[in-house]
Amino acid sequence: MPLYPRAIVHRTAQDALSNAKANRVLRLQTTDSIEQVLAFYKRLSPPMRQLETGKNDNSGYVSGKRKGVAFSVEAQRNEHFPSLTNVEVEIAD
């Protein structure tokens, strides 16, 4: 799963914010919009299978599978720095 290209790694963890049992969690930050982040992951080649997407006022997500591994990407506006978008990438079996 590629990381968002215009982002920096903010943190790594083993516990996911979504209560999923993710094996790895990467938290990224970018100055791009939530829409730009989600569009990148929706256009992957090869594409993710079983793709699900959603969006509410302050965040959005996309999830799916590639090569037997499940991925979930959630993007949300940084509450302290509105010009930043926080991106959380979860990787699970």
Side-chain angles (χ1 to χ4, degrees), residues 6 13 15 34 40 49 63 76 78 89:
R6 292 178 34 104
D15 297 325
I34 292 170
F40 170 80
R49 295 184 319 275
S63 65
Q76 56 186 312
N78 185 305
V89 179

Side-chain angles (χ1 to χ4, degrees), residues 13-27 52 56 59-64 70-76 87-92:
Q14 294 235 309
D15 297 325
L17 293 177
S18 68
N19 295 327
K21 296 199 177 204
N23 291 336
R24 296 282 182 266
V25 178
L26 290 172
R27 294 188 177 102
E52 292 181 26
N56 65 31
S59 68
Y61 72 90
V62 62
S63 65
F71 296 94
S72 172
V73 177
E74 181 175 358
Q76 56 186 312
V87 182
E88 181 178 271
V89 179
E90 299 176 0
I91 305 167

